Amino acid sequence: LERLLDWCMPLLGRGGRLLAIKGESAEEEIAEASAKLAKLRVHGVRVARCGNGTVNPSVVVVEVTK
């Protein structure tokens, strides 16, 4: 996640969103990137599990809002 933040956040305007398809460790990656998220003044981070009951395993999407 930290590498994606380095690459993508400079490309986003205020209110822009990064949607990253991540694995089951998404919450851990967010915790590990907490210092970077604070430095980038990220407005919000949300984890969504998509496809529950349709695909196995479900798809984990991290949404980061600038």
Side-chain angles (χ1 to χ4, degrees):
L1 182 62
E2 286 195 53
R3 186 177 296 170
L4 283 173
L5 292 170
D6 286 337
W7 291 339
C8 299
M9 294 307 283
L11 302 174
L12 298 178
R14 187 175 184 177
R17 296 182 303 160
L18 165 66
L19 299 175
I21 297 173
K22 302 300 293 177
E24 289 299 315
S25 63
E27 287 88 357
E28 293 172 27
E29 290 187 48
I30 292 168
E32 291 170 2
S34 62
K36 171 128 354 227
L37 290 164
K39 181 180 177 183
L40 293 170
R41 299 179 186 218
V42 166
H43 180 69
V45 178
R46 186 173 74 98
V47 176
R49 297 188 183 279
C50 305
N52 290 332
T54 304
V55 295
N56 189 20
S58 59
V59 177
V60 180
V61 179
V62 175
E63 176 185 24
V64 180
T65 305
K66 189 170 185 181

